Amino acid sequence: MEREDRLKQLTDQLTDGVKAVRDSGEYKKLLAVMAKFPHYSMNNCMLIAMQRPDATLCQGFDGWKRMGRYVKKGEKGIKIIAPAPYTVQKEVDKLDSNGKPVIDSDGEHVKETKEYQVMGFKAETTFDVSQTDGKELPKVGVDELKGEVDRYELMMGVLKDLSPVPIGFEDIKSGAKGYYHTTEKRIAIQNDMSELQTIKTCLHEITHAMLHADAPKEISKNRKELEAEGTACIVLKYMGYDTDAYSFPYLTGYTTDADMKELKDSLNTIRKTSSKIITKIENELSNIYMERHPEIVPDNEPEKKPTEKTEVAADKSTSDKPVADNRPDDGWPLVEEPKEKVIAERRILGTVRILPDGVGGKKPSLLDSLKLEKEKIKNKIAGNGGKDEKGVAI
């Protein structure tokens, strides 16, 4: 199956999974509680993110108290802007039923006092759920993914290389798994999580950094979270890891309408971003593998034509010397020629890469190294009059 077809299949499964969570009884209970939380404006969402990037669920002190939770002692609140309407009195012309000013006997306009409501704003304090204790809130899904990732350290190195911003680990007090700091341009990941949860969170935050660092203001927080978690889920599914128990409820929490319009509008971005990340991961892993296994010749590498020196050496070794002896004039043994067919001038024997004399390469050939070592020994003996380092005749 082609990659694009596979990604289309996975995003369809994503939509079906989120719909199943939305239709569940547990989620309906969660909705009843979530309806009690305030809906913050875009500006306030930005203020919350700047002050506490790992915040997940915020409301005021009294709001938490009504839900049976209490702000922990010593917690610093998050400042937001709240509407603060006030009333002013103003003397204006009195109008008749036709909307015309009323004139008194002296020809002056009759005045009256009216009250007007003026919209003002004030600073207000809100607190994240991580800053509170008390009655447990309903939840759907699992708190953390469990499981190992094949070649975890290698995969973490690849993700750090492809991330547009630095990735670091720390103890995140809010309980969040990670966050992308929009002003400091960095990613923070919670310490000591499972390998699968760590990789999933890295992919989530990398997507934020790739797509939302300079995103237009009209893109909602819900849309951003849907794109980030959806991409992380699809990339890991493509690689053979299941995050449904965590990702589906997470995505459902940011799907506010029954028709799931926001999620459906995000699917094209999720597919494109997933494909881009998968391609980068595959290329990085391929490069690393080739560096660690230089004896492997890529399928698309052109075969080199034997050099003149190689041909002469080959003729000499085959015509002048018996095959069984396989020794040159100087008496130094060669590694036995492999029976299998070799590509151009590269010969692979176990894990040793041997290049014929005179042929270029990143490393000296084994035969070159042997000859150099022999020349060193000959020169040393000649300089000492045929004696070794201790003066003993050889």
Side-chain angles (χ1 to χ4, degrees):
M1 183 182 293
E2 294 293 331
R3 175 183 293 176
E4 293 306 316
D5 294 334
R6 175 64 175 151
L7 292 177
K8 174 67 168 60
Q9 182 186 64
L10 292 176
T11 49
D12 289 344
Q13 292 175 5
L14 195 73
T15 307
D16 294 340
V18 172
K19 187 177 186 306
V21 173
R22 285 187 63 85
D23 294 340
S24 67
E26 291 80 3
Y27 185 69
K28 290 175 181 177
K29 292 178 184 177
L30 178 63
L31 284 181
V33 174
M34 295 299 292
K36 300 176 183 179
F37 283 88
H39 297 281
Y40 293 111
S41 67
M42 178 62 69
N43 287 334
N44 276 333
C45 286
M46 292 175 65
L47 285 172
I48 291 171
M50 289 171 65
Q51 296 171 73
R52 198 177 183 96
D54 54 349
T56 56
L57 197 60
C58 297
Q59 67 172 339
F61 184 92
D62 293 334
W64 283 119
K65 189 174 180 180
R66 287 192 295 270
M67 299 183 73
R69 295 185 69 85
Y70 303 90
V71 176
K72 299 173 187 176
K73 186 176 180 180
E75 289 289 346
K76 184 180 179 181
I78 305 167
K79 297 297 181 182
I80 59 172
I81 298 172
Y86 60 96
T87 302
V88 297
Q89 292 184 339
K90 188 175 181 181
E91 194 175 70
V92 297
D93 291 340
K94 185 176 181 179
L95 303 178
D96 60 18
S97 58
N98 295 321
K100 295 181 179 181
V102 176
I103 308 298
D104 62 13
S105 57
D106 296 328
E108 299 290 334
H109 286 206
V110 177
K111 299 293 184 180
E112 64 178 353
T113 301
K114 281 193 172 185
E115 290 186 347
Y116 292 91
Q117 192 174 65
V118 180
M119 181 56 70
F121 295 91
K122 64 178 181 179
E124 196 169 271
T125 304
T126 186
F127 298 89
D128 183 55
V129 62
S130 63
Q131 298 175 284
T132 67
D133 276 327
K135 185 179 177 181
E136 286 294 324
L137 297 174
K139 61 183 179 181
V140 180
V142 298
D143 289 330
E144 181 179 321
L145 293 166
K146 301 296 181 184
E148 297 179 347
V149 175
D150 185 37
R151 299 181 183 179
Y152 168 73
E153 296 295 339
L154 178 62
M155 180 59 67
M156 275 303 306
V158 170
L159 293 183
K160 287 181 178 180
D161 286 342
L162 68 85
S163 174
V165 298
I167 298 176
F169 289 83
E170 61 185 62
D171 184 20
I172 303 175
K173 302 299 183 183
S174 69
K177 303 293 189 291
Y179 62 87
Y180 167 55
H181 205 298
T182 54
T183 54
E184 296 179 7
K185 303 298 182 185
R186 64 180 178 87
I187 289 172
I189 304 296
Q190 173 62 39
N191 282 321
D192 303 324
M193 296 193 298
S194 71
E195 292 180 358
L196 183 56
Q197 182 67 58
T198 300
I199 295 294
K200 201 286 303 175
T201 304
C202 282
L203 287 167
H204 179 110
E205 303 304 337
I206 286 171
T207 305
H208 275 314
M210 290 173 64
L211 298 181
H212 308 136
D214 302 305
K217 288 185 177 180
E218 58 266 20
I219 297 181
S220 67
K221 176 178 174 61
N222 285 6
R223 177 71 178 264
K224 292 176 182 177
E225 293 302 321
L226 290 171
E227 291 174 350
E229 186 66 19
T231 298
C233 179
I234 295 300
V235 171
L236 282 171
K237 269 184 173 292
Y238 188 89
M239 296 168 61
Y241 297 97
D242 187 353
T243 67
D244 294 357
Y246 184 94
S247 296
F248 285 176
Y250 187 98
L251 291 165
T252 305
Y254 289 98
T255 308
T256 56
D257 58 311
D259 295 332
M260 300 191 297
K261 184 178 185 303
E262 276 186 313
L263 177 59
K264 291 175 181 177
D265 289 345
S266 303
L267 291 180
N268 192 42
T269 301
I270 291 171
R271 274 194 293 268
K272 287 182 178 179
T273 310
S274 298
S275 181
K276 185 176 181 180
I277 291 176
I278 289 168
T279 299
K280 287 185 175 182
I281 290 175
E282 289 179 341
N283 289 342
E284 285 289 329
L285 290 176
S286 176
N287 291 337
I288 291 171
Y289 187 77
M290 294 304 297
E291 287 175 4
R292 295 186 179 183
H293 300 275
E295 73 275 7
I296 296 178
V297 180
D299 293 338
N300 59 352
E301 182 174 317
E303 294 186 2
K304 296 180 180 178
K305 293 182 179 180
T307 61
E308 183 179 350
K309 187 173 181 181
T310 304
E311 291 173 349
V312 172
D315 290 339
K316 185 176 180 180
S317 62
T318 55
S319 60
D320 297 343
K321 292 292 175 182
V323 175
D325 188 19
N326 198 24
R327 291 170 180 266
D329 293 333
D330 54 24
W332 280 75
L334 293 175
V335 178
E336 183 180 353
E337 288 287 342
K339 294 180 181 179
E340 67 272 19
K341 182 179 180 181
V342 295
I343 299 177
E345 298 156 358
R346 294 192 179 183
R347 300 171 185 153
I348 303 169
L349 300 174
T351 59
V352 179
R353 184 175 98 164
I354 300 176
L355 300 180
D357 301 347
V359 179
K362 291 184 178 179
K363 298 179 180 179
S365 72
L366 180 58
L367 300 183
D368 286 337
S369 299
L370 290 173
K371 283 194 172 183
L372 287 173
E373 189 63 29
K374 184 190 172 185
E375 289 299 322
K376 287 182 182 178
I377 295 174
K378 280 185 175 180
N379 292 336
K380 184 178 291 186
I381 293 174
N384 292 335
K387 298 180 181 180
D388 65 9
E389 294 177 352
K390 296 181 179 181
V392 179
I394 299 176

